[in-house]
Amino acid sequence: MVQEFIEVDDVGTFRLVAEQSPLVIRRDPYLFAQYFSSMIFINMANLEEREVRRLFDLLRGKMIVVKSLIKASSISDFLDKVGSGKPRATE
């Protein structure tokens, strides 16, 4: 479980962490890389275009783009929230 969110502003520092993380999560304008119980992130809006391009090139094979975020306590709760769940049986 992630307990800390740590912002870095140096591409080299983020790259060091991202290389150790199995996935890099992209939710514009942020990139996130988990390192143990910490989530390291960088704000791409604060970077030069060439730095963003360099990050994308380096992390292409492990980056996932997040379309939306849904907080749910269970699969049933998730399905109810997205409207795909079957109606629950009444007790």
Side-chain angles (χ1 to χ4, degrees), residues 6-85:
I6 302 168
E7 183 175 15
V8 297
D9 59 3
D10 176 66
V11 172
T13 301
F14 184 80
R15 183 184 56 90
L16 286 173
V17 175
E19 287 175 343
Q20 300 301 314
S21 181
L23 293 173
V24 174
I25 300 167
R26 177 181 169 189
R27 175 71 173 178
D28 289 340
Y30 302 104
L31 288 178
F32 298 91
Q34 188 168 351
Y35 190 74
F36 294 102
S37 64
S38 297
M39 189 67 77
I40 312 300
F41 71 95
I42 192 164
N43 185 340
M44 295 183 292
N46 297 333
L47 302 177
E48 294 178 18
E49 185 178 330
R50 67 178 173 80
E51 292 176 310
V52 173
R53 230 178 300 123
R54 188 174 79 167
L55 272 177
F56 285 1
D57 288 343
L58 289 169
L59 304 172
R60 179 174 294 135
K62 58 172 54 184
M63 189 181 311
I64 61 169
V65 179
V66 176
K67 178 181 176 182
S68 65
L69 300 169
I70 299 169
K71 186 174 182 176
S73 60
S74 66
I75 291 175
S76 313
D77 185 28
F78 168 78
L79 292 173
D80 287 344
K81 288 180 179 185
V82 296
S84 300

